[in-house]
Amino acid sequence: NAGVTQTPKFQVLKTGQSMTLQCAQDMNHEYMSWYRQDPGMGLRLIHYSVGAGITDQGEVPNGYNVSRSTTEDFPLRLLSAAPSQTSVYFCASSRTRGNTEAFFGQGTRLTVV
Amino acid sequence: GEDVEQSLFLSVREGDSSVINCTYTDSSSTYLYWYKQEPGAGLQLLTYIFSNMDMKQDQRLTVLLNKKDKHLSLRIADTQTGDSAIYFCAETPLRRKIIFGKGTRLHILP
């Protein structure tokens, strides 16, 4: 059972470039979310989805887009990368919103130069 | 508002007990959680406690919940080098979303 798979693990972008961080889960979870983790800031919620076709903003959504066309996949798109988006990004899924256990991917370390 | 507070660092000697503390603001949370993040990895659920419980014990881990003071603690007995990690406290107010604290980095001294 793969759980939550994130790709790539590492990425370097130039300012202004766009890219998509991939996230897939094989547990048939309804709820998926994206976080960014910065030193001293903990985890901040970027976007989340309560099911296929439904997405909503978290606390730091600016500069990011998401879509949820299937239950399994929840990609995060950076439209025009900025140095302030240098961070470690985590995708997580759980059976339902606020359910007891969230499963996390291994993270994507993104550097924007 | 919704907030989860925890200290950022804790140093403990190997073999001693570690106690990581957390305060939260939303009394509607049904579950309160402790997640562990090892270096270079994502978060992993360590344990959780239901809001109508005062204590939960699981091998070397003891979770204490004081609902009146909105205080949660995680005690790790006989702390080992493998316990070195960042520990996150989290709550789920009204089951809407998970709110994480900033994490406590546990450093083990030899």
Side-chain angles (χ1 to χ4, degrees):
Chain A
N1 207 355
V4 179
T5 303
Q6 283 184 241
T7 55
K9 284 190 185 299
F10 301 95
Q11 183 71 50
V12 178
L13 287 180
K14 292 183 179 176
T15 298
Q17 285 185 316
S18 63
M19 82 158 292
T20 299
L21 308 185
Q22 302 291 345
C23 175
Q25 53 92 8
D26 60 1
M27 297 170 282
N28 201 31
H29 285 168
E30 288 183 358
Y31 184 75
M32 296 185 74
S33 53
W34 277 102
Y35 294 87
R36 59 178 289 173
Q37 184 178 26
D38 302 291
M41 302 290 288
L43 290 166
R44 291 185 290 171
L45 182 65
I46 305 171
H47 285 285
Y48 64 95
S49 168
V50 299
I54 307 169
T55 64
D56 206 346
Q57 296 181 348
E59 52 182 309
V60 289
N62 292 343
Y64 307 95
N65 271 0
V66 291
S67 59
R68 184 98 179 267
S69 55
T70 66
T71 300
E72 293 78 20
D73 300 300
F74 190 44
L76 177 73
R77 279 183 289 278
L78 278 72
L79 309 171
S80 176
S84 61
Q85 293 179 305
T86 294
S87 187
V88 181
Y89 291 85
F90 288 100
C91 178
S93 75
S94 57
R95 193 160 47 84
T96 58
R97 180 168 52 182
N99 194 243
T100 51
E101 182 170 6
F103 293 80
F104 282 79
Q106 292 293 299
T108 296
R109 186 174 293 274
L110 175 68
T111 303
V112 182
V113 298
Chain B
E2 304 160 343
D3 204 6
V4 177
E5 299 279 345
Q6 51 183 131
S7 55
L8 295 182
F9 298 100
L10 177 67
S11 289
V12 173
R13 292 209 176 277
E14 190 174 358
D16 288 350
S17 292
S18 306
V19 179
I20 303 171
N21 294 302
C22 164
T23 57
Y24 61 96
T25 54
D26 200 310
S27 56
S28 69
S29 291
T30 308
Y31 295 96
L32 293 135
Y33 312 90
W34 286 104
Y35 280 81
K36 179 182 181 182
Q37 184 183 29
E38 296 183 351
L43 280 69
Q44 200 163 19
L45 182 67
L46 194 59
T47 186
Y48 66 92
I49 188 166
F50 192 55
S51 59
N52 69 354
M53 298 170 66
D54 298 324
M55 185 181 86
K56 180 179 179 182
Q57 189 146 4
D58 183 4
Q59 299 182 332
R60 291 192 298 122
L61 304 178
T62 303
V63 179
L64 295 177
L65 175 60
N66 181 331
K67 284 194 72 175
K68 176 175 166 290
D69 295 336
K70 297 191 181 70
H71 183 266
L72 184 72
S73 68
L74 173 70
R75 178 176 179 269
I76 306 172
D78 187 24
T79 307
Q80 305 295 311
T81 54
D83 296 323
S84 181
I86 303 176
Y87 292 82
F88 290 88
C89 174
E91 63 167 343
T92 53
L94 296 174
R95 298 175 67 81
R96 280 186 286 112
K97 59 182 181 179
I98 302 175
I99 300 189
F100 291 93
K102 289 183 169 48
T104 299
R105 185 179 294 275
L106 177 62
H107 178 63
I108 314 302
L109 301 166

